[in-house]
Amino acid sequence: GTQVTVEIHHEDTSPQLIKRLSLGKGSQKLRGHDNKGFQRTEAPRPPGAKDLHEYPWDKSSLKSMPVDLQQFEKLDAYALKVNVKNSVEELVKALLKQARTDLEKVRAIWMWICHHIEYDVVGYHNKSQLSSKPRDVLQMGKSICEGYAELFEHMCSLAGIQCKKLSGHAKGHGYKTGQTFTGDSDHAWNAVYLEGRWHLLDSTWGSGSVDDSFTKFTYRYNEFYFLTHPALFINNHFPDNSNWQLLKPTLTLKEFENNMLHNSNFYMLGLLAAHPETPIIQTVKGKASVSVDCRPGTLFMFKLKGTDKHGLMTLKKHGMKLDIYPQKTGSHKLEIFAKRSKAEASDDVYKCVVEYVVECESVDKAMRFPKDLHQPVGPSWFSERQGFLQPSHREPILHTNDGRCSLTFTLGKDISVLTSLHADGSSLAEDMGRRHVLQVHHGNQIELKVHLPHAGNFVLKIYSKKKSDPGNYDYIFNYLIRCLNTEVKWPAFPQSYSKWLQDYEILEPLSGLLPANRNVQFKLKMHGIAKVLVQAENTHPLTQNRGCWEGTCNTSGCREVFVMVHENANHSFYSHVLKYEVETQ
């Protein structure tokens, strides 16, 4: 005998009109059970004020409600194993056996769909043959987004959970940076009602991905699209009815089109923001700059039209900075990739996190980089972690006018360093490239003295290994050294041999090329040695004076000069430690 009033509103009316009606004491009858033993769900209520999230994203959580994925591990494993294909009802019954709360029920349905329904690439191209009815989707085991969303909605309703299929525009497969959206919607997803609020999910995108030619689907589960925070979901999903953005304020289609597309990898890797926030960048005087903010410990790489040769990327503790210098005018695709530095093997690949289009009007030819330059450039938290602390030069580029420069670091324990200098063209053979850099050690300080053979752009590469390790040296980082002074022409440093120890030091002569027919002054810092000789045409002993071995040697009549040491006064043999060349007349 209870009076029931029913108001009917068109679906698109704004939610404020709808009063929630309490159905009084007779309402139990309505819930009832249907003949299959499932609870009927109430008709979904439209979103209201308490469903809304602030836009832009507050960087707090990737999800719209607290979710502890570890607590789902058992349930997830159970849901994956359920193998019921004869009816949707039976499938839901089986899945709900291990699910108590509404959240667990939704999770079980989500997990099952993401791992058992594949995207129908053939059906996508021939939609007339396609049914998105839940029963058919289950039998076929494949569908397009429409079928995923309808199956999800139907399974939730059988489980007694309010769920709604939503449609709209998506920046999905085939999306081109900066494109506009017109006409009918092109994607479908769901909203589910949990713990008193609406939440968003996309089981199509949760299940995997399609290759570029849209002919092959690969299962690749993506956690990101389960209960995604609405301020992140709007990044690539724009619902036909803007109330279902669940945002305050809501975005216009124009804003959606102009917004930067961050894909799910961007957020799953803990990245926070990218600048600029517009997808199309104009170069200014041939240069464009991009930066990404992130949590510590993230490595980056980039490709401009498929190569990383036309930029200068520096790695900072909380992100990276990239200056791009395209060497051709026109539009260039810029992709930025990231990975965690201490990733498990499965995650140890760079994933594309953001794309830009760089429009270049003029080329800065001066910013052509040597092909040996390796990204990132300059010191970073990564080189620090490898034991190169307190760098004297934090910038990636060193400018020198006289062709000489010097860098210092504090070295971590037990580190042996190797360096080499590289330039484009064949001006520097590899062994000579090593000899234009001199290491000087003082305690745990290392100084790298660089003398350039000529003007131009050079790459200084720095390698290291543990002294206790017999293995090879690992590449750690590099600098770009630039010198515009065409007068510059420094000879290489003298060649050193294995008996020349790390903490020895050449005070003079630093040049590996000695003048002919001259008396040359020698001053070398060496310890633990009985005798030092300089061998030219004649042999010249050096004398020890306050920790230095000093003396002169005449270079006439010879092409090479060697420094030799007697390690033990009782031995008759000498070891070569240094070799100098003498100028030809």
Side-chain angles (χ1 to χ4, degrees):
T2 309
Q3 191 72 39
V4 175
T5 319
V6 177
E7 289 188 30
I8 298 178
H9 293 266
H10 189 268
E11 172 178 76
D12 291 339
T13 344
S14 57
Q16 350 351 340
L17 293 174
I18 294 176
K19 302 191 222 21
R20 295 309 309 270
L21 298 165
S22 103
L23 294 173
K25 57 180 185 297
S27 65
Q28 269 61 36
K29 280 207 212 81
L30 283 174
R31 288 278 314 211
H33 281 77
D34 62 18
N35 54 5
K36 296 210 173 98
F38 283 107
Q39 289 189 335
R40 282 224 196 88
T41 49
E42 299 161 34
R45 75 160 176 84
K50 66 174 180 178
D51 299 297
L52 305 184
H53 295 256
E54 299 280 343
Y55 182 87
W57 183 49
D58 59 8
K59 300 186 180 168
S60 57
S61 163
L62 299 181
K63 301 209 179 283
S64 52
M65 66 186 279
V67 171
D68 180 355
L69 295 178
Q70 280 175 317
Q71 289 195 338
F72 283 149
E73 278 175 6
K74 271 195 182 128
L75 178 65
D76 289 353
Y78 170 76
L80 294 195
K81 288 198 185 78
V82 169
N83 187 16
V84 177
K85 291 280 173 86
N86 52 348
S87 81
V88 183
E89 288 78 6
E90 292 300 315
L91 170 61
V92 172
K93 259 187 199 149
L95 285 172
L96 296 194
K97 278 187 184 139
Q98 297 285 323
R100 298 183 321 282
T101 64
D102 281 359
L103 173 59
E104 287 175 356
K105 292 173 187 175
V106 168
R107 178 70 178 188
I109 292 169
W110 157 267
M111 268 328 233
W112 192 91
I113 290 180
C114 286
H115 291 86
H116 293 86
I117 305 296
E118 61 173 290
Y119 193 86
D120 187 351
V121 282
V122 178
Y124 173 82
H125 294 295
N126 183 10
K127 294 196 180 67
S128 61
Q129 305 297 309
L130 206 61
S131 162
S132 48
K133 288 198 175 69
R135 195 183 57 228
D136 299 333
V137 172
L138 181 62
Q139 310 276 268
M140 296 287 292
K142 54 169 117 177
S143 183
I144 59 171
C145 57
E146 197 77 19
Y148 279 90
E150 286 193 20
L151 180 60
F152 204 97
E153 183 179 44
H154 184 52
M155 287 173 75
C156 282
S157 81
L158 290 172
I161 288 157
Q162 293 191 44
C163 177
K164 190 162 167 50
K165 185 185 98 178
L166 302 174
S167 52
H169 292 294
K171 293 182 178 177
H173 192 279
Y175 169 73
K176 296 272 184 292
T177 301
Q179 82 173 55
T180 54
F181 292 91
T182 50
D184 295 342
S185 56
D186 53 28
H187 190 50
W189 56 93
N190 297 93
V192 288
Y193 194 71
L194 292 170
E195 298 181 17
R197 283 181 103 173
W198 282 107
H199 302 272
L200 302 169
L201 47 79
D202 183 341
S203 57
T204 312
W205 289 10
S207 66
S209 57
V210 175
D211 65 343
D212 288 344
S213 60
F214 217 86
T215 51
K216 183 171 176 291
F217 169 80
T218 309
Y219 277 114
R220 190 178 294 118
Y221 175 68
N222 193 337
E223 178 61 49
F224 182 73
Y225 293 107
F226 180 68
L227 311 183
T228 316
H229 193 295
L232 301 180
F233 204 73
I234 192 65
N235 201 354
N236 43 21
H237 292 75
F238 189 84
D240 293 336
N241 175 347
S242 61
N243 291 326
W244 285 107
Q245 293 179 21
L246 305 186
L247 291 176
K248 54 175 189 246
T250 51
L251 274 72
T252 63
L253 182 60
K254 192 93 205 110
E255 288 172 308
F256 173 72
E257 289 169 347
N258 293 341
N259 271 357
M260 205 53 224
L261 172 61
H262 301 319
N263 60 22
S264 60
N265 295 327
F266 185 92
Y267 297 108
M268 295 301 265
L269 285 164
L271 309 190
L272 299 168
H275 311 278
E277 289 176 343
T278 48
I280 297 172
I281 317 173
Q282 315 285 345
T283 57
V284 177
K285 293 184 180 165
K287 169 183 169 182
S289 296
V290 170
S291 64
V292 177
D293 304 338
C294 65
R295 302 194 164 92
T298 313
L299 292 167
F300 290 90
M301 58 177 266
F302 73 93
K303 293 241 156 82
L304 182 75
K305 271 206 163 157
T307 165
D308 68 356
K309 291 294 164 227
H310 306 304
L312 206 59
M313 182 175 83
T314 49
L315 210 49
K316 307 270 181 255
K317 187 175 175 191
H318 292 286
M320 72 89 154
K321 190 171 172 306
L322 171 61
D323 292 331
I324 288 286
Y325 301 91
Q327 292 299 305
K328 282 192 177 134
T329 55
S331 282
H332 306 272
K333 178 160 118 177
L334 170 63
E335 299 165 289
I336 293 172
F337 303 83
K339 74 169 184 180
R340 289 213 176 91
S341 65
K342 288 185 168 166
E344 288 76 56
S346 62
D347 280 341
D348 200 27
V349 285
Y350 280 99
K351 293 186 175 140
C352 183
V353 289
V354 68
E355 282 185 23
Y356 288 94
V357 172
V358 179
E359 300 196 331
C360 176
E361 298 192 355
S362 65
V363 169
D364 182 353
K365 287 272 188 266
M367 292 310 273
R368 270 217 175 114
F369 299 121
K371 63 177 187 305
D372 278 307
L373 190 67
H374 196 81
Q375 309 288 347
V377 186
S380 65
W381 58 265
F382 181 77
S383 53
E384 262 183 34
R385 191 190 278 175
Q386 307 297 324
F388 291 83
L389 311 169
Q390 298 167 310
S392 55
H393 295 71
R394 295 199 170 271
E395 293 305 309
I397 305 184
L398 277 86
H399 296 274
T400 162
N401 189 38
D402 71 353
R404 293 183 296 184
C405 56
S406 152
L407 303 94
T408 59
F409 303 92
T410 302
L411 279 185
K413 283 193 177 61
D414 185 38
I415 289 178
S416 178
V417 177
L418 185 71
T419 54
S420 58
L421 194 68
H422 304 258
D424 277 354
S426 55
S427 60
L428 264 184
E430 189 172 345
D431 54 335
M432 281 313 282
R434 296 234 165 97
R435 286 187 44 208
H436 278 272
V437 189
L438 181 70
Q439 293 184 31
V440 183
H441 292 258
H442 295 287
N444 60 356
Q445 288 272 318
I446 180 175
E447 180 190 2
L448 302 177
K449 291 181 192 277
V450 182
H451 286 184
L452 300 180
H454 51 78
N457 287 334
F458 292 84
V459 180
L460 170 64
K461 293 198 172 187
I462 300 173
Y463 304 79
S464 79
K465 73 178 184 80
K466 284 206 167 335
K467 284 180 190 160
S468 48
D469 245 4
N472 292 332
Y473 284 84
D474 291 324
Y475 166 79
I476 308 296
F477 63 122
N478 59 182
Y479 283 92
L480 178 62
I481 301 178
R482 310 194 70 178
C483 176
L484 300 175
N485 178 358
T486 51
E487 307 288 299
V488 161
K489 190 179 175 212
W490 289 99
F493 292 105
Q495 192 171 343
S496 60
Y497 297 102
S498 60
K499 293 279 185 186
W500 177 263
L501 301 186
Q502 210 173 39
D503 49 0
Y504 290 178
E505 188 181 347
I506 304 171
L507 297 172
E508 57 180 340
L510 273 178
S511 165
L513 189 63
L514 303 178
N517 305 325
R518 284 278 170 80
N519 281 334
V520 176
Q521 181 72 30
F522 277 78
K523 190 172 183 184
L524 307 169
K525 235 186 205 171
M526 297 188 278
H527 56 79
I529 280 166
K531 262 182 169 179
V532 182
L533 297 179
V534 177
Q535 185 187 3
E537 192 175 25
N538 303 314
T539 310
H540 308 260
L542 300 184
T543 51
Q544 197 173 8
N545 179 12
R546 294 199 199 128
C548 288
W549 293 87
E550 300 178 53
T552 53
C553 144
N554 192 289
T555 60
S556 54
C558 64
R559 301 289 304 280
E560 295 174 330
V561 173
F562 291 95
V563 178
M564 305 187 296
V565 297
H566 227 10
E567 291 170 69
N568 184 323
N570 302 329
H571 288 175
S572 58
F573 61 83
Y574 284 86
S575 308
H576 285 71
V577 289
L578 296 174
K579 173 183 163 189
Y580 290 83
E581 319 256 322
V582 178
E583 284 178 347
T584 49
Q585 293 167 27

